[in-house]
Amino acid sequence: MNFTKADLQKETSYKTSRSGGKGGQNVNKVSSKVELLFSIASSALFTDEEKQLLTEKLQNRFNKDGYVQVVCDEERSQYLNKEKAIERLISLLTRALQKPKVRKPTKVSKAAKAARLDSKKIQAVKKEGRGKRFDISD
């Protein structure tokens, strides 16, 4: 990860609008809802490979213009909503750039195999003893 919050803020644009929710009459007057727009394609923070990876993983987050869109209207203050939106964008990008660990297949140890077979033999002997045997000898 070679980006910081300040670097991201330079490359993002914001749209503000009036939001619903708490705030009383303040809601009708102040534009506190923040819509953060970030273009991965035109960003200078990522390499071409990282851009391709981000584009694949965040495909469902793009709007029709090709921007990653993050909306926040939880707080009554526009400033706090901008801060929350940029934090969400950072977490979104870091999660998308993380590469999952490669699973290394492992073998079952000889001791574990032997223990499993021994327990199966014990169970078989136990069940064999439960059977009803009739001697029909004439």
Side-chain angles (χ1 to χ4, degrees):
M1 308 315 156
N2 52 355
F3 61 90
T4 62
K5 187 175 178 179
D7 292 337
L8 274 178
Q9 283 178 328
K10 289 176 190 172
E11 294 192 359
T12 57
S13 60
Y14 299 97
K15 283 185 190 175
T16 57
S17 60
R18 294 184 183 147
S19 77
K22 59 188 178 182
Q25 290 180 345
N26 190 51
V27 170
N28 302 326
K29 293 187 246 174
V30 180
S31 297
S32 61
K33 180 180 181 179
V34 172
E35 211 175 296
L36 181 144
L37 299 170
F38 179 71
S39 174
I40 291 174
S42 64
S43 175
L45 300 173
F46 304 107
T47 64
D48 290 336
E49 295 142 14
E50 289 175 331
K51 285 180 185 180
Q52 187 177 7
L53 182 67
L54 287 170
T55 308
E56 288 171 9
K57 287 197 175 180
L58 301 176
Q59 192 66 44
N60 60 339
R61 297 296 298 241
F62 286 119
N63 63 8
K64 64 179 185 281
D65 300 325
Y67 291 98
V68 174
Q69 187 174 12
V70 178
V71 179
C72 184
D73 63 348
E74 294 170 5
E75 300 295 330
R76 290 174 62 171
S77 152
Q78 188 184 99
Y79 173 76
L80 290 175
N81 281 333
K82 279 185 179 180
E83 290 297 313
K84 276 196 171 188
I86 197 81
E87 290 298 326
R88 285 184 191 168
L89 178 67
I90 289 170
S91 69
L92 195 70
L93 293 174
T94 51
R95 273 188 278 128
L97 285 174
Q98 283 177 348
K99 293 178 183 168
K101 284 185 180 178
V102 179
R103 183 187 175 276
K104 296 176 187 172
T106 57
K107 285 185 177 179
V108 179
S109 67
K110 287 182 182 179
K113 274 186 187 177
R116 183 177 55 85
L117 292 174
D118 287 343
S119 70
K120 284 177 79 169
K121 284 177 188 171
I122 292 168
Q123 191 69 18
V125 169
K126 198 187 301 181
K127 287 193 169 194
E128 194 178 318
R130 294 181 189 159
K132 295 179 183 173
R133 292 191 194 84
F134 295 105
D135 272 346
I136 305 175
S137 51
D138 292 330

